[in-house]
Amino acid sequence: FLTANNNLRRRRGTKMGVVVNKIHPEYVSGGCNHSAHALDADYSQNVIVYASNKNVFELHISSGGVATILGDGVGAGGSDAKERHHEAPVTCVKIVEKKNVSDNENNTNAVIVLSADASGTVIAWEAVAEKEDARKRKWIPRANNEHSFGPITQIAAKRETSDSVIVATVAADDYVRLWNLNVTNWTMEQVGEKAFPSQHRPMCVDVSDRISSTTTTTTITTPSSSSSRFVAVGCADGTTRVYAVDTKAATDFEFITELVGHDDWVRDAKFQSLTSDSESDSNMTLYLATCSQDKNARVWKIVIRNDTLGESESTNTRLPFETLAAPPRPPSEVLGGARVDFQLEALLCGHEDWVFTCAWRPLSENSDNPVPSSLHQQLLTASADRSVNLWSPSMNDEADSMGTSLWFSLASLGEAGENCLGYRGASFYGRNCFIAHSQSGALHAWEFIEELQSWESLPVNSGHTDKIRALVWDNDGRYFLTGSEDHTTRLIGYWNEDACRNTNRIQTPKGWREIARPQTHGHAISCLAFVPPPKNRQSGQTSSNDSQNSQNSSKSSQSFISGSSEKALRAFRAPRVFWERTKIGNMNVDNVDVLIVSGEGAAEASALGLSNKGVHNTNNNNNENVDANVELLQEELSKANLDVKHGGTIVEEYLATNTLWPETSKLYGHGDDVFSVAAHPSGKLLASGAKGTKESTAEILLWEHNETHNDWRMVESLLGPTLTAVALEFSNDGGTLIVASRDRHACVFTRISDDSKDLSEGWLLTNRFKAHAREMYDLAFLNDSLFITVGRDKKVNVWQINASSSSSSSEEEMKPSWSSDSACSSAPTCVSVLNDVTFATGHENGSIKIWTRKGKDDDDDEDSVKWSVAGDIPNAHRAEVTKVAFKPSSSEIVLATCGADHVTRVYRITEL
């Protein structure tokens, strides 16, 4: 993207800012919401969608699980931008099925997705092909139906005609409502509702295909003149109530029957219609599957009988005990006098915990590839027992005299590890593939490989499920690390498929993706810092041992420090299996072979899950036999390493269990939760701050690395902030430490000692000044003499360090060298510097601004320069942007961002 001239002007010290040409979104991730119906898939339309906080993601599983956000970029800068998207967490999504109707109907092929949220809003999204590339599509929010019925727990939809969709919703006010979505003018009109008493609280709903009733036959059909349908409602008392409705006549819900059998909440209900293969049989059979918290699923057969048939003929098709003990059910007025019979087809026992969802195999994958009739009755169930089961009835020749078949489990897939807390939902995607989401927000996909006759896991994009608080880049820019309140850290790097070609197995495609999950913790992660590698440590005189180690060291960071809602910091070091993974992915890590044979092989979580213990420790610190160790690498790799048969594939099961980093030490010293941490450029010193309400508790602690014991020890306490230190940063030369505090003041600590070995000595508070009128949020160094602060007063200020000030008690009245004044309509929450003339800020409204410096080239006149916005991303996040960070040490401009909407993004910026 960049020319040689562009590279030259991006060096530190230049006065030319970045001229933004275009901002390309390259990566986006977010974990799935915990609700059971937050995922849906439709292979015939090539759509997989899932809910992530207030967003709806489309998952492209054919390209390695890469995701995009529905409505991304739509309404950017418009006054109705917020009205176009959800303002509350999305609870359920539904893909409107595609029907085969006449070609002269305009909206037949429109791909429509419905989403509902906790505020009661329903949004209809339409997929529109992009002008630049017809193979790509963007999603436009067409209809926005807002009401105050409370959170919507499930949404169901069926095509009424090519121009309308019948939609059913279940809300927290114990009502089931029917809506008519007009896809011509994109309006939603309520056509019916049913109130339920508290003892029959509705939990789920589904709508059957349309029912056509005549004097000679009763069938289930595609859209026609009839508009009669069944509506099944699963209730909290364990019953499933079935109603008949006429969606065009807007009739009341006609009660058909109550299905009794479950002992606990019915969590899902799904219809499936099957056409009889016999030409002489005039009956159409419906199947209704229900699943419950009683750990079971049930399959009910619904037979619609024409009331004009003779009584003797009708009786012959009934069960013997029904003719003696059960009077025939009254005919249905909505169904034109037809009678409806219900039979329990199967009781599916096999799960050991709650069953949340059930899904029938679709009747067709696409118009040219119908699913064989023998597969129509396959059912997929997802349970909290960490398994997804595929059920199927026995063959026709094994059915009993009444046509009832024995159902059995064809496959049971899932995780056996403690990291998976159970599955919340699952859906078919094609003939040999299905996808599920778990309680932890992870996505799982499996595909049956015919050549291998086995189920294989697919690489699927996932992400955080809570607010992301921290984001830091590796020193060499090969990967970055994010930390979230979901108690995990995730390492994301650029995976190159060229180095992991294996035609026999599923592969991980090229691009940005999560390649490790170094820390799974019992506390919310609040801050992170990568420790610079030994080669970049600037500590004055270098010993002979340090010189020898630097020859075999790497530019990439090998360890990081994390702080969370506890009083201790934790230090982690990359294991051997991580470096092997970067080699397989061709991530161009410097001296990766040396890193592979050093340190511990892998890590495993302790019983309580609070620490990562290193395993397979080689204790090999001698680099003389590096070549020999590399040759024996394959024999030494632990079970946590990538197996050859996987071909380098990164799947959720592997990430969750085998990518931990061993914890090397804990840093105790703070009296409250750790809030911020920063690493010295030498890699031998840390600074950290914790929550505090006075100067003694808001102190800044300095930690020095002990090479002998390979741990960190507290060596100094710096006083200055009077409230929590929200951000810390060392200057590039390592001589200055800036602290931003909630007391609206910035503290400048300067090291006045000449001792190059002991970096912890000589730190003095040289200045403390009020930087903002309201709370400070973040800061960053532009160069060794200028730094930036952002605060709640909606200002971005640039300050010049006053080197002449040396009194620790001084609190001078300082004026910024430059202030954004009224340039920010929303408060900036974070800042990152590309070079000394370009930086980026994230804002409370989810936008990101890129600032570039314009002014004189003379370094002596700092007051004449100004910064202006060179690029803007209005709707980068749906909530507060918590961190922005430019990729370091790179000839290309890459910006990583994260926010309170649980989303992580990567942008590539091109210049003019």
Side-chain angles (χ1 to χ4, degrees):
F1 292 103
L2 302 176
T3 63
N5 290 333
N6 287 332
N7 292 335
L8 287 173
R9 71 187 188 188
R10 291 182 59 238
R11 294 177 181 173
R12 290 194 175 271
T14 60
K15 294 298 180 184
M16 293 186 65
V18 172
V19 182
V20 176
N21 179 25
K22 192 171 182 180
I23 301 174
H24 308 268
E26 287 202 340
Y27 172 82
V28 61
S29 68
C32 189
N33 289 346
H34 298 164
S35 54
H37 306 287
L39 170 73
D40 197 18
D42 188 336
Y43 185 79
S44 64
Q45 302 182 84
N46 191 26
V47 180
I48 302 175
V49 292
Y50 71 93
S52 177
N53 194 24
K54 300 177 184 179
N55 298 300
V56 180
F57 279 69
E58 180 186 11
L59 187 68
H60 308 279
I61 200 170
S62 59
S63 58
V66 178
T68 56
I69 297 180
L70 270 62
D72 209 4
V74 177
S79 60
D80 62 341
K82 288 188 176 181
E83 298 178 2
R84 293 175 177 266
H85 303 97
H86 290 284
E87 293 299 313
V90 180
T91 55
C92 49
V93 294
K94 180 64 179 178
I95 302 171
V96 179
E97 63 180 0
K98 188 177 181 180
K99 286 292 186 181
N100 296 324
V101 293
S102 58
D103 296 335
N104 57 359
E105 300 187 46
N106 297 329
N107 293 308
T108 299
N109 295 322
V111 182
I112 302 173
V113 170
L114 302 174
S115 59
D117 62 28
S119 68
T121 300
V122 178
I123 296 181
W125 307 82
E126 182 189 18
V128 178
E130 293 186 359
K131 296 180 180 179
E132 296 81 3
D133 188 351
R135 295 173 298 178
K136 298 181 180 180
R137 58 191 176 196
K138 62 179 180 180
W139 294 87
I140 309 296
R142 297 297 191 185
N144 190 336
N145 184 29
E146 297 182 1
H147 56 70
S148 58
F149 303 144
I152 295 177
T153 57
Q154 189 177 5
I155 187 169
K158 291 288 184 181
R159 288 274 186 176
E160 185 75 9
T161 65
S162 62
D163 296 328
S164 64
V165 177
I166 189 69
V167 180
T169 60
V170 176
D173 62 351
D174 298 342
Y175 272 79
V176 173
R177 293 178 173 84
L178 291 181
W179 311 80
N180 182 37
L181 171 63
N182 190 315
V183 299
T184 302
N185 55 18
W186 295 104
T187 59
M188 286 186 68
E189 179 183 359
Q190 183 174 324
V191 296
E193 66 178 20
K194 177 66 177 179
F196 287 78
S198 58
Q199 63 269 25
H200 300 297
R201 173 165 294 176
M203 305 301 300
C204 57
V205 66
D206 194 34
V207 181
S208 72
D209 289 323
R210 303 176 66 176
I211 304 170
S212 176
S213 182
T214 67
T215 58
T216 59
T217 184
T218 301
T219 57
I220 306 297
T221 68
T222 54
S224 62
S225 59
S226 175
S227 56
S228 301
R229 298 178 183 271
F230 285 125
V231 176
V233 181
C235 301
D237 61 352
T239 63
T240 302
R241 295 179 165 237
V242 182
Y243 300 87
V245 295
D246 189 332
T247 54
K248 284 188 177 179
T251 60
D252 293 335
F253 285 63
E254 182 186 19
F255 179 76
I256 299 298
T257 191
E258 181 180 78
L259 303 178
V260 180
H262 290 296
D263 298 329
D264 208 335
W265 290 6
V266 178
R267 299 305 300 257
D268 200 9
K270 292 292 171 58
F271 282 106
Q272 176 81 312
S273 58
L274 298 179
T275 305
S276 175
D277 295 333
S278 174
E279 296 180 358
S280 61
D281 189 1
S282 63
N283 294 335
M284 164 59 68
T285 302
L286 271 175
Y287 285 93
L288 174 64
T290 61
C291 59
S292 169
Q293 291 182 182
D294 64 2
K295 309 176 185 179
N296 298 324
R298 291 173 178 261
V299 179
W300 310 85
K301 181 187 292 185
I302 307 174
V303 180
I304 306 172
R305 305 179 189 279
N306 196 311
D307 198 36
T308 61
L309 295 175
E311 181 65 25
S312 60
E313 181 180 355
S314 177
T315 303
N316 290 335
T317 60
R318 297 174 63 85
L319 293 174
F321 74 87
E322 288 184 305
T323 62
L324 298 176
R329 290 182 173 86
S332 169
E333 294 182 3
V334 174
L335 301 181
R339 297 181 185 272
V340 184
D341 290 338
F342 295 85
Q343 300 172 8
L344 178 61
E345 172 73 6
L347 173 61
L348 307 181
C349 302
H351 289 293
E352 298 177 354
D353 210 332
W354 294 0
V355 184
F356 285 107
T357 62
C358 56
W360 290 100
R361 181 183 290 278
L363 299 181
S364 63
E365 296 176 355
N366 52 58
S367 58
D368 300 326
N369 190 18
V371 174
S373 58
S374 59
L375 302 179
H376 287 176
Q377 286 183 263
Q378 290 189 352
L379 185 71
L380 193 66
T381 57
S383 171
D385 65 357
R386 307 173 187 170
S387 68
V388 176
N389 282 9
L390 178 63
W391 306 86
S392 178
S394 58
M395 303 301 292
N396 292 333
D397 55 358
E398 298 178 0
D400 60 21
S401 59
M402 300 308 301
T404 301
S405 301
L406 176 66
W407 286 65
F408 60 94
S409 178
L410 286 178
S412 181
L413 302 177
E415 298 183 65
E418 297 178 354
N419 55 285
C420 180
L421 302 178
Y423 292 99
R424 300 304 300 265
S427 180
F428 283 98
Y429 188 70
R431 185 175 304 180
N432 296 322
C433 177
F434 49 85
I435 184 169
H437 71 284
S438 64
Q439 170 69 24
S440 61
L443 298 175
H444 305 255
W446 301 270
E447 183 178 10
F448 186 78
I449 308 299
E450 296 287 351
E451 295 81 359
L452 303 173
Q453 287 296 301
S454 65
W455 290 89
E456 298 293 324
S457 295
L458 299 178
V460 184
N461 185 65
S462 185
H464 289 290
T465 58
D466 210 332
K467 180 179 180 179
I468 306 173
R469 296 279 302 275
L471 187 154
V472 289
W473 277 95
D474 155 50
N475 188 78
D476 199 28
R478 301 302 178 187
Y479 45 81
F480 63 90
L481 189 66
T482 58
S484 168
E485 292 182 359
D486 65 2
H487 304 176
T488 66
T489 60
R490 300 170 189 253
L491 193 145
I492 299 167
Y494 195 85
W495 188 267
N496 192 334
E497 64 179 353
D498 297 335
C500 55
R501 297 189 180 277
N502 189 326
T503 57
N504 296 326
R505 292 280 170 161
I506 300 166
Q507 300 177 22
T508 301
K510 183 177 181 180
W512 293 96
R513 60 179 47 255
E514 183 182 353
I515 60 175
R517 205 165 293 167
Q519 182 183 10
T520 55
H521 199 277
H523 302 279
I525 307 298
S526 58
C527 56
L528 295 169
F530 267 118
V531 179
K535 187 174 182 179
N536 296 326
R537 295 180 179 176
Q538 304 168 0
S539 57
Q541 298 179 354
T542 305
S543 65
S544 59
N545 291 334
D546 292 338
S547 178
Q548 182 179 358
N549 292 335
S550 64
Q551 296 176 2
N552 294 324
S553 64
S554 171
K555 296 179 181 178
S556 297
S557 301
Q558 303 168 31
S559 60
F560 73 91
I561 309 295
S562 74
S564 60
S565 54
E566 60 174 346
K567 299 177 182 179
L569 293 100
R570 296 171 185 259
F572 298 85
R573 185 174 178 83
R576 227 172 39 240
V577 293
F578 171 75
W579 300 119
E580 174 66 12
R581 192 172 302 109
T582 61
K583 184 177 181 180
I584 292 176
N586 193 22
M587 294 177 61
N588 299 321
V589 175
D590 187 45
N591 283 344
V592 66
D593 289 337
V594 176
L595 298 173
I596 288 174
V597 297
S598 63
E600 295 168 332
E604 60 183 4
S606 61
L608 296 179
L610 297 179
S611 299
N612 299 345
K613 295 175 58 179
V615 295
H616 311 292
N617 194 347
T618 61
N619 293 323
N620 182 15
N621 296 322
N622 187 359
N623 294 320
E624 295 180 358
N625 298 322
V626 168
D627 295 335
N629 289 330
V630 171
E631 294 177 0
L632 297 175
L633 174 64
Q634 296 301 327
E635 298 178 5
E636 295 180 353
L637 290 180
S638 66
K639 64 180 180 64
N641 209 344
L642 285 173
D643 194 273
V644 176
K645 69 178 183 179
H646 288 120
T649 306
I650 301 177
V651 296
E652 175 62 31
E653 292 83 352
Y654 189 87
L655 283 172
T657 57
N658 300 324
T659 61
L660 294 173
W661 286 23
E663 183 179 307
T664 58
S665 61
K666 294 182 179 68
L667 286 65
Y668 294 100
H670 287 290
D672 210 329
D673 296 347
V674 178
F675 204 87
S676 55
V677 64
H680 192 271
S682 67
K684 295 183 177 181
L685 192 68
L686 297 175
S688 63
K691 292 182 179 179
T693 57
K694 55 184 179 180
E695 187 175 18
S696 59
T697 58
E699 61 183 349
I700 305 301
L701 300 184
L702 297 183
W703 310 80
E704 188 175 32
H705 188 255
N706 188 303
E707 299 288 348
T708 304
H709 298 89
N710 192 27
D711 62 1
W712 296 86
R713 299 185 179 183
M714 187 179 67
V715 291
E716 187 64 71
S717 173
L718 305 179
L719 298 179
T722 59
L723 291 177
T724 303
V726 296
L728 312 167
E729 185 163 341
F730 286 98
S731 61
N732 190 55
D733 62 4
T736 305
L737 171 65
I738 305 291
V739 180
S741 173
R742 281 182 176 168
D743 61 9
R744 310 175 188 180
H745 287 68
C747 297
V748 180
F749 295 92
T750 305
R751 185 170 181 267
I752 60 176
S753 174
D754 295 332
D755 188 355
S756 60
K757 293 184 179 180
D758 190 356
L759 298 177
S760 63
E761 292 185 356
W763 291 95
L764 186 66
L765 178 62
T766 56
N767 200 356
R768 181 179 183 272
F769 60 93
K770 186 175 182 180
H772 288 267
R774 302 188 70 181
E775 175 185 356
M776 294 182 68
Y777 283 147
D778 200 8
L779 60 82
F781 271 99
L782 271 170
N783 51 46
D784 292 338
S785 60
L786 292 175
F787 65 94
I788 310 169
T789 62
V790 295
R792 198 176 178 182
D793 58 0
K794 300 183 179 181
K795 288 188 177 182
V796 180
N797 294 334
V798 178
W799 306 87
Q800 186 172 10
I801 297 176
N802 187 357
S804 61
S805 177
S806 60
S807 174
S808 61
S809 61
S810 66
E811 187 170 339
E812 300 181 356
E813 287 293 334
M814 292 185 60
K815 293 184 179 181
S817 299
W818 174 84
S819 178
S820 61
D821 295 329
S822 60
C824 300
S825 59
S826 177
T829 56
C830 52
V831 60
S832 176
V833 172
L834 175 65
N835 50 43
D836 58 359
V837 294
T838 305
F839 63 90
T841 56
H843 296 258
E844 284 184 335
N845 62 357
S847 65
I848 296 173
K849 298 182 184 294
I850 301 173
W851 305 77
T852 186
R853 183 177 182 177
K854 293 182 179 180
K856 295 183 179 180
D857 293 340
D858 185 5
D859 290 336
D860 296 332
D861 191 3
E862 295 288 350
D863 294 333
S864 63
V865 298
K866 296 182 179 180
W867 275 263
S868 61
V869 178
D872 191 9
I873 312 175
N875 295 318
H877 293 270
R878 299 282 183 261
E880 168 196 352
V881 182
T882 54
K883 288 294 179 182
V884 293
F886 280 107
K887 179 181 179 181
S889 307
S890 176
S891 60
E892 56 190 7
I893 306 177
V894 176
L895 178 67
T897 71
C898 61
D901 58 352
H902 313 173
V903 172
T904 304
R905 285 181 172 272
V906 175
Y907 294 97
R908 188 179 301 274
I909 303 171
T910 59
E911 295 184 82
L912 291 175

